[in-house]
Amino acid sequence: MGGQLAAVIGTGQTHHTAKRLDVSMAGLCREAIDRAMADAGTDWADIDAVVLGKAPDLFEGVMMPELFLADALGATGKPLLRVHTAGSVGGSTGNVAASLVQSGVHRRVLAVAFEKQSESNAMWALSVMPPFHMPVGAGAGGYFAPHVRSYIRRSGAPNHIGAIVAAKDRRNGALNPYAHLQQADITVESVQASKMLWDPIRYDETCPSSDGAAAVVIADEQTAKGRPAAWIHATAMRTEPTTFAGRDQVSPQAGKDAAAALWKQAGISDPVSEVDVAEIYVPFSWFEPMWLENLGFTEEGQGWKFTEAGETAIGGRLPVNPSGGVLSSNPIGASGLLRYAEAAMQVLGRAGDHQVDGARVALGHAYGGGSQYFSLWVVGSERPGAR
Amino acid sequence: MNPSGGVLAGHPMFAAGLIRIGAAAAEISAGRADKALAHATSGPLLQQNLVCVLEGR
Amino acid sequence: MVTISSEPLSAPLNVGFDYTRSLGPVLGRFATGLRAHTIAGIRGSDGRVLVPPAEYDPVTAEKLTEFVDVGTEGVVQTWSWIAQPLAGQPLQHPFAWALVKLDGADTGLLHAVDAGSPDRMSTGMRVRVRWAAEPVGSIRDIECFEPLDVEPTERAPGEGDPVTMVTTPIHLTYQHTASPEESRYLRGLAEGKLVGQRCPACDKVYIPPRGSCPTDGVPTEDEIELPDHGIVTTFCVVNVPFLGQRIKPPYVAAYILLEGADIPFLHLVLGCEASEVRMGMRVRAQWRPRDQWGTTLENIDHFEPTGEPDAAYETFSQHL
């Protein structure tokens, strides 16, 4: 981590939905940017650099979209950097933007991430099969479902845990006006009655396909002091190969290493008692208990018990995804930055109806690829070291 | 200018900018230059540009 | 085994999709105008008229809203002759790419000029739009530009609801090349053999072989022929149909760990109900008829249960 302090001084996002046919990609990004700039009380002249994140170019069929979006991103004449780490890219975008301030290179950086899934079909884009291979791939769900099955077998979790997570996140989403899915009446039983897509993952345990964008303004200490700010206490990123002999696909080492580095940097020794709220990348419901363990919130094999006990609901010991999370909105490239922005909104006290009372320390988390990229940050209502 | 032969002599497109920086650094490492400039550019209109200056100490 | 060639195998990989672009208010107006044979520009913060219209000001980044219709004739600012047009370009005979500053505009529009020969192209020459035969509301409603001394082509404008979307077909044509080690493995498959490699440092057996160990970073050369039977480590049942799918759902996509291998690969399990597939189930390859074999893992049609007792969880838990 760089020597300088950095803080989020504004966040913005779109109303996520299946098809935003009334705007271009540029217009979509600008909705989030304009809200973040207004939230931060900044103008274009204040922005020194822009970082853009989005997932594979095949999703929109635009190579290097940062170039044609430069006007909309206000990047003319400024450093513009594109980040790409698959589904975790929104998180990585936040980390890269933070590093530009922490290193003292820039004072105020705009981080933007988006996906306009309606321009193509992500299931198709993630299932392109090169020659010589057995064409059994079936999108992200097909990739992750076997590993969810492994988690269930390894932990001995009962089958309804996934449904508990899905019902909880969707009900949280109904408290968030920006969430794609608004399902206040969903129940564990209705989730369990939904169609089995990639056994053991059911339809209601699966993220939607969304158009949407997110933006945050990250500023240096001089800019942030004396105004509402979510101080960045720690950032971490780790990567590992998609496959190697003996790889733990359920709880990857890269995720454990990223978490260990994060907690150390943030001065957190007991995450479950020191973190007030967590926005964790959960595109399929079972990943909540899986990541709770991987992040060190619980012992291995115990994550599902924490979920089952209701501890991850708003009002529990560690509310997870009060925004509704990826299960309620999934503009893929933006989803990680949304986790980061929602964490900041919580410690800023600006989360509206899904605000966790007294949230002072929050985690933002994203993962991508075949669970091989991990991006994390911890933000707090007070400066690092002030606790 | 471009003692390496530059992009006109070899153009692995998205590596070409980093190769310029490496080539500039190599000139300094080899003692042939004290200060070297490297440039990278991208986009259909070459609208994205990076310039860096390296110096031997 | 040493008789197998290491020459890399390659094969075409074609990827294509008809992308659906939503245009938004500015580009939507531009596309709607083109269909009606008008060209919309937009005024920037510095007073310049930008064509095509920019959604956001290139100087101030502010949203732009003041549309200005410009002329359908203009001046060539610069040009480049294309002697051999590529598929998908506006004209399929030699033409010039040119920046055309339309009358009333302050910026150049990039488009094709159908001049016949480069001798007839010059910077500063005047050109006019040749409209497309069937306007749909896209930049291709301008078929191209042409010199003023060419006889104008009569073309009728189109009409209809405002244009909000365009479809953009994109096709990528790759030649996919396998590594030398993977090529040996694929040629082995063509002979009905399953060829892996063992890492000299960690002793792990990889199939397909990679030529180096991802854990130890050392070259792997020691080849091992593996049997065509093993176990299912974990799996999912794919019930969902999707674009481009090559196997009809529902099907069981399973990680198969061959006996003697240290890493599983994904394949299909048939020969029993999907609900009967289990972690640890022992399976054997069902090969396609030999005359259908090629250099592909698809030579194995699927894996089937052998009926032997399942492997104990502890024997494969480290492969999950």
Side-chain angles (χ1 to χ4, degrees):
Chain A
M1 186 175 180
Q4 316 284 323
L5 291 185
V8 176
I9 60 168
T11 68
Q13 60 186 289
T14 54
H15 290 277
H16 314 297
T17 187
K19 292 174 189 283
R20 274 300 302 273
L21 301 183
D22 60 318
V23 291
S24 63
M25 282 176 247
L28 188 74
C29 289
R30 268 303 276 272
E31 280 187 16
I33 293 169
D34 289 349
R35 288 183 180 128
M37 300 275 277
D39 192 43
T42 53
D43 202 353
W44 286 111
D46 301 325
I47 301 297
D48 300 321
V50 183
V51 183
L52 177 75
K54 72 159 246 83
D57 291 351
L58 213 52
F59 286 172
E60 286 85 4
V62 179
M63 197 174 81
M64 300 188 291
E66 68 278 12
L67 296 176
F68 100 99
L69 290 171
D71 294 352
L73 301 174
T76 308
K78 294 174 182 173
L80 168 62
L81 198 65
R82 189 261 176 103
V83 179
H84 182 8
T85 57
S88 73
V89 68
S92 310
T93 304
N95 284 12
V96 168
S99 73
L100 291 174
V101 175
Q102 290 164 337
S103 62
V105 174
H106 297 298
R107 294 191 54 200
R108 286 166 297 264
V109 176
L110 173 67
V112 187
F114 82 98
E115 206 72 67
K116 202 158 179 310
Q117 286 210 51
S118 67
E119 305 252 333
S120 81
N121 176 319
M123 189 85 184
W124 162 80
L126 293 174
S127 305
V128 171
M129 264 288 144
F132 314 126
H133 290 72
M134 189 63 200
V136 285
Y143 183 85
F144 291 118
H147 308 312
V148 166
R149 182 182 303 279
S150 298
Y151 172 74
I152 295 170
R153 175 68 180 80
R154 187 189 290 184
S155 68
N159 282 327
H160 65 281
I161 301 299
I164 291 174
V165 175
K168 182 260 298 177
D169 280 8
R170 293 280 168 78
R171 282 200 298 264
N172 286 351
L175 303 173
N176 174 6
Y178 292 108
H180 177 169
L181 299 178
Q182 299 284 330
Q183 300 181 346
D185 299 327
I186 197 169
T187 64
V188 172
E189 293 70 32
S190 70
V191 174
Q192 287 178 304
S194 68
K195 184 176 160 57
M196 192 64 92
L197 293 188
W198 301 274
D199 192 336
I201 298 175
R202 290 181 183 278
Y203 179 77
D204 277 347
E205 297 176 293
T206 305
C207 54
S209 168
S210 314
D211 286 356
V216 301
V217 179
I218 297 177
D220 65 347
E221 184 176 15
Q222 196 185 329
T223 306
K225 69 182 176 192
R227 72 160 95 187
W231 295 92
I232 298 168
H233 289 207
T235 64
M237 288 193 278
R238 291 292 187 278
T239 308
E240 70 183 36
T242 321
T243 60
F244 56 88
R247 180 181 186 221
D248 189 338
Q249 297 257 30
V250 174
S251 188
Q253 190 63 39
K256 291 180 190 172
D257 291 350
L262 185 84
W263 302 136
K264 181 163 187 252
Q265 200 180 96
I268 288 172
S269 53
D270 181 20
V272 77
S273 61
E274 294 179 61
V275 175
D276 300 314
V277 52
E279 283 281 341
I280 301 176
Y281 202 108
V282 178
F284 302 100
S285 60
W286 281 94
F287 275 88
E288 177 177 295
M290 289 163 71
W291 294 146
L292 284 172
E293 297 173 23
N294 187 249
L295 286 162
F297 283 118
T298 74
E299 295 292 318
E300 203 149 294
Q302 306 298 307
W304 66 268
K305 295 176 185 168
F306 196 73
T307 293
E308 188 180 41
E311 300 289 14
T312 59
I314 296 173
R317 278 181 74 193
L318 178 73
V320 173
N321 295 329
S323 70
V326 181
L327 280 172
S328 296
S329 314
N330 189 30
I332 302 173
S335 289
L337 195 59
L338 284 168
R339 307 280 71 69
Y340 276 39
E342 288 284 351
M345 286 158 63
Q346 288 288 346
V347 301
L348 283 161
R350 293 181 183 172
D353 288 345
H354 63 282
Q355 178 69 45
V356 171
D357 285 343
R360 295 174 62 219
V361 176
L363 169 75
H365 164 274
Y367 84 99
S371 299
Q372 73 213 84
Y373 300 110
F374 293 86
S375 301
L376 308 164
W377 82 5
V378 170
V379 288
S381 56
E382 294 172 55
R383 285 173 212 224
R387 288 179 299 125
Chain B
M1 179 92 76
N2 289 332
S4 69
V7 173
L8 287 175
H11 191 217
M13 194 182 288
F14 290 92
L18 189 57
I19 291 170
R20 301 280 75 67
I21 295 173
E27 290 298 308
I28 293 169
S29 301
R32 291 190 292 269
D34 295 327
K35 192 186 271 192
L37 178 146
H39 169 239
T41 182
S42 179
L45 298 169
L46 303 183
Q47 66 265 51
Q48 194 161 48
N49 289 272
L50 177 151
V51 178
C52 69
V53 174
L54 297 87
E55 198 173 337
R57 291 208 180 136
Chain C
M1 212 98 60
V2 287
T3 58
I4 302 175
S5 160
S6 295
E7 271 302 295
L9 285 166
S10 67
L13 170 60
N14 297 317
V15 180
F17 196 85
D18 290 348
Y19 287 87
T20 50
R21 307 243 173 271
S22 50
L23 295 171
V26 174
L27 296 175
R29 174 141 170 182
F30 178 63
T32 303
L34 290 174
R35 189 181 57 190
H37 288 188
T38 63
I39 301 176
I42 205 160
R43 194 176 303 282
S45 62
D46 54 5
R48 291 187 305 159
V49 174
L50 313 170
V51 182
E55 290 192 75
Y56 299 94
D57 192 82
V59 181
T60 65
E62 294 305 323
K63 188 173 187 168
L64 296 176
T65 54
E66 188 188 341
F67 291 95
V68 180
D69 278 350
V70 299
T72 57
E73 290 185 11
V75 175
V76 170
Q77 293 178 298
T78 187
W79 56 278
S80 175
W81 190 254
I82 304 300
Q84 292 174 312
L86 302 175
Q89 290 186 332
L91 296 170
Q92 290 306 297
H93 54 266
F95 69 96
W97 281 122
L99 279 176
V100 177
K101 188 157 81 92
L102 294 165
D103 297 339
D106 293 293
T107 61
L109 171 74
L110 180 69
H111 217 299
V113 177
D114 190 7
S117 91
D119 305 342
R120 300 194 63 234
M121 286 299 302
S122 62
T123 297
M125 73 185 282
R126 286 191 64 79
V127 291
R128 80 163 87 83
V129 168
R130 181 196 298 162
W131 296 105
E134 289 175 21
V136 294
S138 119
I139 189 66
R140 286 175 181 269
D141 289 357
I142 298 176
E143 184 175 298
C144 62
F145 286 83
E146 60 192 12
L148 294 188
D149 58 7
V150 172
E151 189 66 24
T153 309
E154 280 301 317
R155 292 272 163 83
E159 54 188 24
D161 294 332
V163 178
T164 60
M165 306 282 296
V166 293
T167 300
T168 309
I170 293 179
H171 295 277
L172 305 169
T173 307
Y174 295 103
Q175 189 70 15
H176 174 92
T177 302
S179 69
E181 296 75 18
E182 189 186 3
S183 298
R184 289 174 65 81
Y185 149 83
L186 292 167
R187 289 196 174 92
L189 281 170
E191 297 174 14
K193 292 175 182 171
L194 291 158
V195 181
Q197 278 184 336
R198 185 191 300 278
C199 169
C202 65
D203 276 346
K204 301 287 190 199
V205 172
Y206 278 83
I207 183 163
R210 304 187 182 191
S212 67
C213 176
T215 304
D216 299 297
V218 297
T220 51
E221 289 160 1
D222 181 16
E223 281 189 351
I224 293 186
E225 188 174 341
L226 293 164
D228 66 353
H229 58 86
I231 61 164
V232 170
T233 59
T234 187
F235 65 98
C236 79
V237 187
V238 178
N239 291 314
V240 53
F242 61 91
L243 183 71
Q245 195 170 35
R246 283 163 56 188
I247 301 170
K248 194 174 180 317
Y251 61 87
V252 176
Y255 281 100
I256 309 290
L257 183 69
L258 296 180
E259 189 176 318
D262 288 292
I263 191 162
F265 56 75
L266 267 178
H267 215 289
L268 192 63
V269 172
L270 297 175
C272 65
E273 291 298 317
S275 59
E276 291 171 14
V277 176
R278 302 173 300 278
M279 294 173 75
M281 189 170 77
R282 295 187 192 277
V283 290
R284 182 180 299 280
Q286 294 300 311
W287 295 78
R288 291 184 178 182
R290 183 176 278 266
D291 60 2
Q292 294 176 20
W293 288 358
T295 51
T296 169
L297 188 54
E298 290 185 83
N299 293 350
I300 296 177
D301 186 75
H302 61 271
F303 283 81
E304 278 189 10
T306 64
E308 298 162 278
D310 289 357
Y313 176 68
E314 296 68 35
T315 63
F316 64 89
S317 61
Q318 73 277 21
H319 295 292
L320 298 176

